[in-house]
Amino acid sequence: PPPPPPPPLFFLIIRRPPRSTQGVSSAASDVYKRQCYSSDIYLYDLENDTAVNITDSNAIDAKPAWIGNKIFFISDQGANMRLNIYAYDIREGSTTQITEFEDFDISYLGASSNDLVFEAGGELFQMNIENMDVQAVPVSVVSDLSGEIPRG
């Protein structure tokens, strides 16, 4: 038999207010970034009128995508403070880091029923969520340059 339907839940993203940075050296720019842009993702239960913060941290947590029993999102909670993909397992209540990009942040995350698509360092990637296999998506921009031809 098919699994029972999930309870009526949805997520909210709540941005934390920035803290004062007076007296802080310019070397603390990553900390400042977190203080100004940090946000949390909450699961809100419509039946019980309750909310659970699933990303309770000072990190930037954003762009949630719900597939099956997991909520994928980007976060800079790792040691290198790069935006990578994390997955929150609704059944277990645990979060796992999925990608480990060190040179570039992931700036976009989208989802279908079984794949994630994201951008990092100017490249597009597709990830199958069954095996977490990441593949680069080749992109070709073709132009006939008709707009560049001088008209006389």
Side-chain angles (χ1 to χ4, degrees), residues 32-131:
Y32 176 75
K33 178 179 86 167
R34 281 190 171 177
Q35 290 176 347
C36 289
Y37 300 106
S38 68
S39 55
D40 285 320
I41 300 171
Y42 287 77
L43 277 180
Y44 184 78
D45 184 327
L46 294 170
E47 288 181 351
N48 298 316
D49 194 29
T50 57
V52 175
N53 184 342
I54 65 171
T55 60
D56 192 15
S57 72
N58 287 329
I60 296 171
D61 303 308
K63 303 189 186 308
W66 196 327
I67 304 175
N69 293 316
K70 293 189 177 171
I71 297 173
F72 296 90
F73 59 95
I74 58 174
S75 178
D76 69 350
Q77 62 187 267
N80 66 6
M81 297 179 79
R82 286 285 179 205
L83 288 169
N84 274 288
I85 298 173
Y86 288 76
Y88 175 80
D89 189 302
I90 296 169
R91 291 184 177 163
E92 296 177 12
S94 62
T95 299
T96 305
Q97 184 172 352
I98 304 299
T99 61
E100 295 184 13
F101 287 90
E102 295 180 357
D103 296 327
F104 298 100
D105 288 334
I106 293 176
S107 61
Y108 173 81
L109 176 66
S112 69
S113 60
N114 57 353
D115 289 310
L116 295 175
V117 176
F118 59 94
E119 182 276 334
E123 293 187 67
L124 288 177
F125 297 91
Q126 180 177 9
M127 177 190 294
N128 179 304
I129 64 160
E130 295 297 320
N131 58 17

